[in-house]
Amino acid sequence: MRKYLGALAALASTAAWGGEAIAQGAGAEQATTPGWNEFVEQLRALPAMILAKLPEDQRRDPRIQQEVGRLALEALAARSLEAISADVDNPVFLPSLNQTLNVYQPNSDTIYKETPVDPTASYRLRGTRGSLRIFKLGQLSRTGPDGKEKVVPLAYGDFNALPVDAQGKFDVLISPTKPQDYQGSWWKLEPQANSFVIRQVSADWGKERDPTLSIERLDRSTLRPRESVASLRKRLDALGRQTANTALFLVGIPGELRKEGFVNKLKIFDVTSNMGGLFGQFYYHGVYELNDDEALILEAKVPSKCGYYSTILTNDLFETTDWVNNQSSLNDTQSRIDSDGMLRIVISARDPGVPNWLDTAGYPTGVVQGRWTDCNAQPMPSLTKVRLSDLSRYLPKDTPHISAPERDRQLRSRRANFLQRILW
């Protein structure tokens, strides 16, 4: 953990920015920014706070200690973007979680962006719709202090349901009431909303086109004057607390699953009621524990009607396992359905040579999480632990074999397709 603690300390140090102490004569005080030292002190305590939410054996694990430092930096990076740019008067959709800002176990297929809003204001959203399976705007209420307690979804607007012109462009107004004689697209702005979140979900990374999107506040000038001392100080004062809230929000969930006995077993995960999850989405998850010579087989009957589904892996800190450089996620386009209508996914550290493989990427323990979206059924999959050497006995005889060169080609294509999306 010293490596990441050192990075945090360097970020918070005047010397780390290449500056020298400003002195005016012998014994002069060093110039400083009011609130900066308090911010640094809040960061200093964060890794220990994260470790305290983990089981005792994980707290002593040197690798997890280092990963805790990484999680703290990810949370700091995510909240720093907001501290620099977030503004209800001049809104902009900033990246909120992704492959780099790996907090809140992001779904590998989803690009998340967020901006704060004033529920009394009026906003105009314009852009090109693209061709994604899911492209929605959520209105959220963060009901606890600094968003720590609950993130309640109030409404979702579907961009794919909006009319577009010949160039595929949309234009929608969001306001508390619809203006008289207004004829364009309109969504009601909920009175408790203080945040807009964009979800852009792509199932076929290589073919689907991501949208473009702008937002502007209509009841205020677009000009942004120099920010006041009080406003800047408020942002800095809130940053340490908000960083801690982000890092700590879900980090204890894998440990809770173990206490409840959901090891190599799945349960319903309620993400919608207090975590801002998408309406119409059913989540499940459970801890996995595997040796290198073992595998878990996930099996589920695929619903006859389903808008989207996926399965991902996370580590013990609830960071989503690196899906850019590993096949640690599969969605309905990327996975194969067997002739009996069953989805079978093999979870293992070593490549089993089957199409539906989820790579644990060196994590012997972590979490399996899945979702069914807009489906006419929400089956709870089963998990069966087997020896890798016996795997063929548990799979259909017509399961294709994937050679090592073919897997390498697939992984390289997967990585290229993902990185060509509009990620930031």
Side-chain angles (χ1 to χ4, degrees):
M1 187 166 58
R2 288 191 300 271
K3 171 183 174 184
Y4 291 104
L5 286 174
L8 283 172
L11 179 63
S13 168
T14 304
W17 296 98
E20 297 180 355
I22 301 174
Q24 297 183 8
E29 291 185 354
Q30 181 175 322
T32 187
T33 295
W36 186 260
N37 290 338
E38 293 86 347
F39 162 62
V40 171
E41 286 304 312
Q42 288 178 311
L43 288 184
R44 195 184 308 279
L46 181 55
M49 295 167 65
I50 298 172
L51 285 168
K53 300 197 73 169
L54 303 179
E56 180 62 32
D57 60 327
Q58 293 180 5
R59 294 179 212 165
R60 298 192 302 266
D61 186 319
R63 186 173 290 187
I64 289 181
Q65 290 173 355
Q66 294 286 346
E67 291 168 345
V68 162
R70 178 181 64 199
L71 176 62
L73 287 173
E74 289 165 347
L76 176 60
R79 299 292 75 83
S80 294
L81 291 176
E82 296 174 1
I84 295 168
S85 297
D87 186 347
V88 296
D89 292 337
N90 301 88
V92 58
F93 283 111
L94 297 170
S96 60
L97 54 155
N98 53 34
Q99 76 284 2
T100 301
L101 309 178
N102 193 351
V103 294
Y104 305 157
Q105 43 84 44
N107 180 31
S108 56
D109 300 316
T110 306
I111 292 172
Y112 304 82
K113 297 180 180 180
E114 185 170 3
T115 186
V117 294
D118 180 343
T120 68
S122 298
Y123 296 93
R124 183 185 185 187
L125 278 65
R126 290 182 280 180
T128 54
R129 192 164 68 187
S131 62
L132 299 187
R133 189 89 57 85
I134 300 172
F135 177 28
K136 293 185 177 182
L137 177 139
Q139 300 184 40
L140 305 184
S141 171
R142 300 182 180 275
T143 59
D146 310 305
K148 187 175 182 179
E149 292 181 3
K150 287 186 178 180
V151 182
V152 180
L154 304 171
Y156 276 94
D158 187 353
F159 289 99
N160 287 337
L162 292 175
V164 295
D165 64 15
Q167 288 75 45
K169 295 182 178 181
F170 63 84
D171 193 330
V172 59
L173 170 68
I174 307 178
S175 60
T177 58
K178 187 176 182 179
Q180 189 174 6
D181 300 327
Y182 179 75
Q183 299 299 315
S185 299
W186 175 78
W187 290 335
K188 176 179 172 57
L189 178 53
E190 298 297 327
Q192 296 84 26
N194 49 33
S195 175
F196 286 168
V197 173
I198 297 293
R199 279 180 166 85
Q200 302 172 199
V201 185
S202 174
D204 191 334
W205 300 345
K207 294 182 179 179
E208 295 176 350
R209 292 176 292 107
D210 281 293
T212 62
L213 179 64
S214 68
I215 180 172
E216 59 187 300
R217 183 167 178 172
L218 299 179
D219 56 318
R220 297 282 181 88
S221 168
T222 60
L223 299 176
R224 189 181 188 186
R226 184 177 182 181
E227 198 162 358
S228 70
V229 170
S231 177
L232 289 167
R233 177 64 188 270
K234 182 178 179 181
R235 290 175 183 267
L236 182 57
D237 286 346
L239 179 55
R241 184 171 60 254
Q242 291 169 345
T243 297
N245 290 343
T246 296
L248 297 169
F249 187 50
L250 299 179
V251 72
I253 285 182
E256 293 170 4
L257 287 169
R258 284 191 177 84
K259 288 181 181 178
E260 295 170 3
F262 288 96
V263 177
N264 297 333
K265 186 168 60 174
L266 301 170
K267 64 171 287 190
I268 294 173
F269 183 30
D270 180 9
V271 175
T272 301
S273 63
N274 61 5
M275 297 182 189
L278 194 63
F279 292 166
Q281 194 149 261
F282 174 88
Y283 300 81
Y284 58 83
H285 68 173
V287 167
Y288 73 82
E289 290 185 356
L290 290 170
N291 295 322
D292 280 356
D293 61 348
E294 296 176 326
L296 279 179
I297 303 175
L298 180 148
E299 293 184 274
K301 181 71 174 178
V302 176
S304 58
K305 292 184 179 180
C306 206
Y308 163 82
Y309 59 85
S310 72
T311 312
I312 66 173
L313 300 180
T314 85
N315 63 16
D316 286 314
L317 301 180
F318 229 31
E319 298 170 301
T320 304
T321 304
D322 180 0
W323 66 88
V324 184
N325 301 295
N326 308 285
Q327 188 168 285
S328 61
S329 71
L330 288 170
N331 62 43
D332 54 88
T333 297
Q334 299 164 340
S335 54
R336 177 183 185 272
I337 305 301
D338 292 326
S339 57
D340 58 0
M342 296 291 290
L343 172 68
R344 294 180 175 89
I345 295 175
V346 177
I347 303 165
S348 61
R350 286 156 42 191
D351 188 350
V354 299
N356 295 351
W357 171 45
L358 285 183
D359 183 1
T360 62
Y363 292 96
T365 63
V367 174
V368 184
Q369 184 187 105
R371 66 200 72 201
W372 306 103
T373 306
D374 297 330
C375 303
N376 63 352
Q378 294 85 32
M380 179 63 72
S382 65
L383 289 177
T384 304
K385 186 175 177 178
V386 302
R387 300 191 71 83
L388 266 175
S389 57
D390 296 333
L391 183 62
S392 60
R393 294 168 45 193
Y394 297 88
L395 300 178
K397 295 186 183 297
D398 61 350
T399 301
H401 174 72
I402 306 297
S403 67
E406 185 177 1
R407 181 76 76 193
D408 183 68
R409 288 192 296 271
Q410 288 181 350
L411 292 174
R412 291 179 182 277
S413 176
R414 170 190 171 96
R415 184 178 190 275
N417 288 336
F418 180 82
L419 293 178
Q420 290 175 56
R421 296 191 65 190
I422 303 174
L423 300 174
W424 294 87

